[in-house]
Amino acid sequence: MVGVNYMLIATVLLISTTVIIPMVDAIPAVFVFGDSILDVGNNNFLPGNRSKANHPFYGVDYPGRVATGRFSNGYNGADFLSMLVGFKQSPPPFLSVTRTRVEEMVGGLNYASGGSGILDVTGENASLSLNTQIEYLEKTVKTLKKCMGSDKAARHMSKSIFILSTGNNDIFGFFEAQNGEKINSTQKDQYINLLLSTLKTQLQRMHKLGARKLVIVGSTTIGCVPAFRAVTPTGACLEDLNDLSLRYNNGTVKLLDKLISSRALKGMRYSHANVFAMLSDVISDPSSFGYAKVDTACCGGGRLNAAESCTVNATLCTNRNDYLFWDSVHPTQVAADLVATNAFNGSRRYTTPINIQELVTL
Ligand SMILES: *[C@@H]1O[C@H](CO)[C@@H](O)[C@H](O)[C@H]1NC(C)=O
Ligand SMILES: *[C@@H]1O[C@H](CO)[C@@H](O)[C@H](O)[C@H]1NC(C)=O
Ligand SMILES: *[C@@H]1O[C@H](CO)[C@@H](O)[C@H](O)[C@H]1NC(C)=O
Ligand SMILES: *[C@@H]1O[C@H](CO)[C@@H](O)[C@H](O)[C@H]1NC(C)=O
Ligand SMILES: *[C@@H]1O[C@H](CO)[C@@H](O)[C@H](O)[C@H]1NC(C)=O
């Protein structure tokens, strides 16, 4: 008996080492979708000057101190998540590549666009809507199929990681449209249901194009971003926004489970990163996570340094690593790193039903 048990343990150990190490290397590509949390420069290619991070002090901690279009002082979540699955940084912005050159897209592409949301009206005229991003994915898949053949392209897509961060800007938009009027729970549910039914169609389109390993970056503690704290008399979080964010995250997980069990997303596996729980934990006990400031923007001006934009004339904090927020709404590089690391191999408090490390080894 003892011998048998020992054999079992030895076999399990052998399997787990032989599985984990080569499979991480086998992620052929990363495809990134959504909003400014993950945008690495698509918005620089859009007309006008709204929703752009193409000027100092953006990028002050990025290699070469360049403002790339990332809404961060340095790398963002798309970079850290890509690094964790074996890449140097995020794949390039879709709008920066030559659409027909397969070598530029074989490691994946980033379609994310600051200001965008699930609904087309969110960020209209200043960003690529999620529907447009998925149309661009369709173009990419066409090119890959042409160059690799259909079977190889399908295998390539099925092993790749698809990362999506959305919902935050839709919730902002809904809240702002109320003009300070009280929002009751029926109205909240109606709006969240509209978001989820739209998202459902979008996920099905991505699945049809070959996505099988999905990372959903959940919406954040929106009510606690410095921009919203700055409009409350005490600098407290706006609870209606946090409540909407919780409802959206709960609904997303339920939707995914339902679609997968009904086989509407056959073969899809997902990892949902509970950014809301991560940031709630940091905000309730900043020092244990190494932060000194969780309510104030590092780059900006006015109340909580969040009433003015982050430009070359803004007030810039000296120790960026002490801050959770870089500008009035976006996380610092260190905060993006923390979120990505917890999404990658965090506990079930932070990722459901599995973390990214488990997702990539499937
Ligand atoms: C953005 O463009 C508008 C319209 O062209 C202009 O009025 C505004 O000054 C510009 N803002 C910046 C920060 O360049
Ligand atoms: C919520 O607000 C809407 C719009 O003002 C109203 O029609 C509805 O009766 C309210 N529902 C509840 C449950 O209070
Ligand atoms: C979301 O789900 C959690 C856990 O199931 C629950 O505690 C929480 O009340 C839910 N929140 C909302 C707003 O539905
Ligand atoms: C920064 O300040 C200078 C000097 O006052 C001014 O000319 C410039 O337009 C400002 N730039 C921005 C982006 O606000
Ligand atoms: C999680 O990943 C980080 C970054 O690669 C690493 O430093 C840490 O040791 C990992 N933790 C576990 C429990 O695997």
Side-chain angles (χ1 to χ4, degrees), residues 171 219-222 241-249 276:
I171 294 171
S219 60
T220 184
T221 44
I222 304 172
L241 276 167
N242 284 347
D243 183 39
L244 282 161
S245 185
L246 278 174
R247 286 169 197 254
Y248 167 71
N249 286 325
F276 193 100

Side-chain angles (χ1 to χ4, degrees), residues 68-357:
T68 56
R70 286 166 174 80
F71 293 80
S72 171
N73 52 313
Y75 290 115
N76 72 12
D79 295 308
F80 287 116
L81 289 171
S82 300
M83 289 175 203
L84 286 162
V85 298
F87 293 82
K88 202 173 144 263
Q89 59 177 51
S90 167
F94 172 80
L95 294 180
S96 75
V97 304
T98 319
R99 314 281 166 85
T100 50
R101 291 190 57 199
V102 73
E103 58 275 24
E104 290 186 273
M105 56 185 77
V106 75
L109 286 171
N110 187 325
Y111 308 85
S113 171
S116 75
I118 292 169
L119 304 181
D120 288 346
V121 295
T122 303
E124 208 172 14
N125 302 325
S127 55
L128 305 174
S129 69
L130 185 51
N131 283 328
T132 301
Q133 295 176 32
I134 297 170
E135 271 163 38
Y136 289 162
L137 171 67
E138 201 172 334
K139 290 196 163 100
T140 306
V141 172
K142 263 197 192 128
T143 306
L144 290 174
K145 276 186 176 164
K146 219 159 132 190
C147 300
M148 298 174 150
S150 289
D151 290 356
K152 210 168 158 220
R155 250 196 325 278
H156 180 79
M157 300 309 275
S158 73
K159 290 182 181 168
S160 298
I161 298 279
F162 289 72
I163 307 172
L164 169 62
S165 162
T166 192
N168 293 302
N169 289 319
D170 299 291
I171 294 171
F172 276 141
F174 174 66
F175 181 81
E176 302 234 286
Q178 307 309 309
N179 274 314
E181 295 284 327
K182 191 99 195 83
I183 315 168
N184 66 38
S185 68
T186 313
Q187 291 168 299
K188 285 179 183 168
D189 285 341
Q190 272 171 2
Y191 188 71
I192 298 302
N193 287 339
L194 170 67
L195 296 185
L196 294 173
S197 64
T198 311
L199 181 64
K200 176 181 163 185
T201 310
Q202 291 160 338
L203 293 174
Q204 285 176 312
R205 282 177 71 197
M206 289 170 71
H207 176 263
K208 214 171 151 197
L209 292 168
R212 292 295 180 273
K213 294 185 175 198
L214 179 67
V215 174
I216 300 274
V217 178
S219 60
T220 184
T221 44
I222 304 172
C224 298
V225 302
F228 286 112
R229 285 183 188 265
V231 301
T232 67
T234 58
C237 302
L238 283 181
E239 288 311 326
D240 265 346
L241 276 167
N242 284 347
D243 183 39
L244 282 161
S245 185
L246 278 174
R247 286 169 197 254
Y248 167 71
N249 286 325
N250 280 8
T252 308
V253 170
K254 280 196 195 112
L255 173 69
L256 283 162
D257 288 342
K258 203 173 105 192
L259 292 177
I260 289 167
S261 64
S262 72
R263 304 179 72 74
L265 296 180
K266 193 163 175 256
M268 182 77 103
R269 305 298 297 263
Y270 79 92
S271 172
H272 182 273
N274 192 343
V275 179
F276 193 100
M278 295 177 205
L279 294 200
S280 301
D281 290 352
V282 173
I283 289 166
S284 60
D285 188 6
S287 61
S288 80
F289 291 87
Y291 294 93
K293 290 279 186 195
V294 297
D295 61 353
T296 307
C298 169
C299 181
R303 186 146 187 248
L304 298 177
N305 212 28
E308 287 159 31
S309 311
C310 175
T311 68
V312 69
N313 295 335
T315 302
L316 181 67
C317 71
T318 45
N319 195 349
R320 265 100 61 189
N321 295 348
D322 284 349
Y323 283 69
L324 184 61
F325 289 98
W326 159 243
D327 65 11
S328 66
V329 291
H330 299 108
T332 51
Q333 170 172 255
V334 285
D337 189 2
L338 176 81
V339 166
T341 303
N342 278 317
F344 182 69
N345 63 9
S347 70
R348 293 289 171 264
R349 172 161 173 76
Y350 296 144
T351 61
T352 36
I354 54 175
N355 63 33
I356 297 174
Q357 191 169 44

